Structure formats: structure tokens, C-alpha cells
């Protein structure tokens, strides 16, 4: 009886030992599977490098139950759908929303500096023929031709030049004489000679010129006047016998 009990105890102890060994092996196998899964997930690319999710939906042709189920796949690792599945994908960021309404207009910015261009300017000149080459004493010089005119008016062939803007003007003029008599010229404003513009030439023939700066009112009329007691003989065309340039400085 004692011998039979000893044998039975040995068999039971051996059975327990084999069962414990199987549990250890099984635990090790499960742990290995978990580690493999974790390592796989560490290198997974869901969503992919373009931030897009990919999946497979089971179709109606699936020969086993489970129609409509979705499983995620990693296309960066080469995973694809089977012939019983339909591939689907979507962006992780979602679609672009509709444009919102325009915001209110911002406040107006400060005004910029005034333009530095000329607000008024003009050029008139005379190509003298035999008939108008002689300017009697105290007469004004006629100008046969017009150059550019901006806020300055002149009728070709007339003596009067009119400024349209009030302001400070530079008035540059010249007269080319063909004889060596004493000559004097000045700018007249509204018929009155401005003494600050007087220029005299005593003996030699050639060019006489001036470059005064005057303050004028809108509508003032300018002329270039022979202020000497002698007739002035201008150069006969095709050369230019006289010219006058007006520039508004402010």
C-alpha cells in the first residue's frame, strides 16, 4: 500500500511539472507575439507619408460572413486589398472648408507727398521771316510757334502768353539779334514791365537772354518786350530768332 502511494505521488509530481513547463512555453510564445506586434506597429505608416488613411471594405461578393467590415492597411509597407474588398482612402486633414465672408475694409492710409512734377509749363518760339524780323522800340516780340503747353496758353503768332495757375515761375527767354545796335529786353506782366527782368546788350550782335523768377496770379499775361529806343532786328529763319520757356516751381 505504501509503495503504491509513493508511485502515485511521483506520477502526480511529474504531471504538475509538465503542466508548468507548458505554461512557461506558452507564456513565452505570447510574449514573443506581443513584441513582434509592437515592433511592427512601431514601423507602421498609418496614415501614410502624405497623411492619407487607406482601408479595405469587404464587398458583397465575399464568400464568408462579414460584409461591410473595414480594415486599415499600410500602403507604405505594400499592403493591399483582396479581390473581395473595395479600397477606400481619406485625408486626415479633412476637405477644405468654404471661403468665409470678406472682412470689413481697413482704415485709409495717410496721404502721400505731393507730386514733384511741374503743374504748369510751356515753351513758345519764333522762326522770324523778313516781315516780322524787326521789333520796334517798346513793342512786344511775337512767337510764331508753340512747343509743349501745360496750364499755359498761347496762340501761335501772338505776343501774349497766359499762365493758368497762381504760383512762382521761372521764365527763361532769349533773343538772337543780327545787327550790333544797343538792345534791351524785359518781361512785362499784364502790360507792365517788371524792372527785375531787364537785360541790356550794348554793342555786339548775337544772343541776349534772361532767366528771372516771378510770382504770378492765375490768368496773368506775359510778354517779352523790346525796352530800348532802337528797333531790334531778329535772326531770320530757318534759325530761331527768339524763345520763351515758363516753368511753375511750386
Amino acid at each position: 500500500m505504501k509503495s503504491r502511494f509513493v508511485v502515485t505521488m511521483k506520477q502526480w509530481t511529474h504531471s504538475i511539472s509538465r503542466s508548468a513547463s507548458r505554461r512557461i512555453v506558452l507564456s513565452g510564445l505570447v510574449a514573443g507575439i506581443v513584441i513582434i506586434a509592437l515592433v511592427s506597429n512601431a514601423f507602421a505608416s498609418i496614415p501614410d507619408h502624405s497623411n492619407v488613411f487607406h482601408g479595405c471594405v469587404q464587398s458583397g461578393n465575399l464568400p464568408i460572413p462579414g460584409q461591410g467590415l473595414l480594415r486599415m492597411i499600410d500602403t507604405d509597407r505594400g499592403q493591399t486589398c483582396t479581390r473581395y474588398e473595395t479600397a477606400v482612402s481619406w485625408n486626415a486633414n479633412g476637405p477644405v472648408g468654404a471661403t468665409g465672408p470678406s472682412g470689413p475694409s481697413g482704415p485709409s492710409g495717410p496721404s502721400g507727398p505731393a507730386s514733384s512734377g511741374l503743374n504748369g509749363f510751356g515753351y513758345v518760339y519764333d522762326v522770324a521771316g523778313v516781315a516780322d524780323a524787326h521789333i520796334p522800340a517798346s513793342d512786344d516780340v511775337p512767337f510764331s510757334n508753340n512747343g509743349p503747353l501745360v496750364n499755359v496758353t498761347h496762340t501761335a503768332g501772338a505776343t501774349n502768353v497766359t499762365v493758368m495757375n497762381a504760383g512762382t515761375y521761372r521764365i527763361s527767354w532769349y533773343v538772337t539779334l543780327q545787327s550790333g545796335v544797343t538792345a534791351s529786353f524785359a518781361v512785362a506782366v499784364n502790360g507792365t514791365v517788371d524792372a527785375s527782368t531787364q537785360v541790356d546788350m550794348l554793342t555786339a550782335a548775337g544772343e541776349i537772354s534772361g532767366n528771372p523768377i516771378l510770382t504770378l496770379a492765375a490768368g496773368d499775361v506775359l510778354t517779352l518786350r523790346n525796352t530800348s529806343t532802337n528797333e531790334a532786328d531778329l535772326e531770320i529763319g530757318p534759325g530761331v530768332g527768339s524763345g520763351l520757356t515758363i516753368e511753375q516751381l511750386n
Side-chain angles (χ1 to χ4, degrees), residues 8-249:
T8 302
M9 287 296 294
K10 287 181 178 181
Q11 291 175 345
W12 181 79
T13 301
H14 181 68
S15 176
I16 292 298
S17 177
R18 284 190 302 170
S19 177
S21 297
R22 283 197 297 270
R23 288 194 186 96
I24 292 172
V25 172
L26 182 60
S27 297
L29 181 62
V30 170
I33 293 173
V34 170
I35 292 172
I36 292 173
L38 291 175
V39 172
S40 298
N41 288 336
F43 292 96
S45 298
I46 299 176
D48 65 10
H49 62 282
S50 298
N51 210 27
V52 175
F53 290 95
H54 298 272
C56 301
V57 178
Q58 293 178 349
S59 63
N61 298 324
L62 191 66
I64 60 176
Q67 179 178 351
L69 294 179
L70 170 68
R71 69 183 180 90
M72 303 297 293
I73 60 173
D74 186 350
T75 56
D76 284 348
R77 297 175 61 193
Q79 295 178 357
T80 60
C81 299
T82 68
R83 62 193 180 99
Y84 300 110
E85 296 174 313
T86 301
V88 294
S89 62
W90 61 94
N91 193 301
N93 295 329
V96 178
T99 301
S102 299
S105 299
S108 299
S111 299
S115 172
S116 59
L118 297 177
N119 290 324
F121 58 88
Y123 172 58
V124 295
Y125 59 98
D126 187 70
V127 181
V130 176
D132 60 354
H134 308 291
I135 310 300
S138 301
D139 273 13
D140 294 324
V141 177
F143 299 103
S144 61
N145 296 78
N146 291 335
L149 299 175
V150 174
N151 290 322
V152 173
T153 63
H154 173 259
T155 301
T159 60
N160 295 347
V161 179
T162 304
V163 298
M164 307 306 295
N165 299 330
T168 301
Y169 290 81
R170 175 186 291 114
I171 303 168
S172 304
W173 60 267
Y174 66 92
V175 174
T176 303
L177 302 175
Q178 57 176 308
S179 61
V181 298
T182 301
S184 298
F185 286 85
V187 175
V189 180
N190 300 324
T192 302
V193 172
D194 188 311
S196 69
T197 69
Q198 177 90 16
V199 177
D200 300 325
M201 186 173 71
L202 299 178
T203 57
E207 184 178 290
I208 179 172
S209 63
N211 191 35
I213 294 177
L214 299 178
T215 299
L216 303 174
D220 276 354
V221 177
L222 307 179
T223 58
L224 180 60
R225 183 166 298 173
N226 176 10
T227 56
S228 73
T229 58
N230 300 315
E231 181 180 86
D233 296 324
L234 304 186
E235 181 179 323
I236 298 175
V240 176
S242 62
L244 185 145
T245 300
I246 300 176
E247 300 169 277
Q248 185 177 359
L249 303 180

